[in-house]
Amino acid sequence: MCRNIVPLHNFTPPATDAECHDAALQFVRKIVGTTTPSRANQDVFDRAVAEITASVRHLLDDFVTNAPPKVREVEAAKRQARSAERYEAIRVFQEQKLAARTTG
């Protein structure tokens, strides 16, 4: 689940409130171990997401860096390349495993 949380600091344009909310939602889901809380826990879940969203927004607004802002499209392309590489490695491993089973 947390693979969906992407860095939000030092981008041009800056992170939106929706991106902060999405990151907070993924974080809370990971912590509680479920994507959808029960009705009994919905209010607590929503409050946690709101509080973490506010904390993320404050962090991003107050964090200081001297590095030049990153370009979203470039960083997204890097993430996609890493993902493709990871999935290709998994595919190759599975093919080798299958070949070893059929020949051995």
Side-chain angles (χ1 to χ4, degrees):
M1 269 191 275
C2 280
R3 241 182 235 154
N4 296 334
I5 299 176
V6 295
L8 298 176
H9 173 63
N10 198 26
F11 279 98
T12 183
T16 65
D17 289 340
E19 289 172 316
C20 293
H21 177 269
D22 291 346
L25 179 61
Q26 286 297 329
F27 180 75
V28 172
R29 285 175 172 171
K30 183 68 172 188
I31 295 299
V32 298
T34 183
T35 57
T36 308
S38 66
R39 281 186 291 205
N41 291 320
Q42 187 68 52
D43 290 340
V44 174
F45 186 91
D46 292 341
R47 187 171 57 246
V49 172
E51 290 172 1
I52 293 170
T53 299
S55 294
V56 168
R57 179 84 270 159
H58 291 300
L59 173 67
L60 294 176
D61 290 345
D62 296 345
F63 213 70
V64 177
T65 184
N66 292 327
K70 297 175 266 186
V71 178
R72 289 177 181 277
E73 293 78 17
V74 171
E75 296 302 313
K78 288 179 187 177
R79 282 194 313 275
Q80 289 171 348
R82 284 191 302 269
S83 179
E85 194 174 302
R86 182 173 55 249
Y87 287 114
E88 176 62 16
I90 292 169
R91 187 190 64 75
V92 168
F93 173 76
Q94 289 173 337
E95 284 180 356
Q96 291 171 344
K97 191 174 171 182
L98 180 62
R101 261 190 289 181
T102 58
T103 60

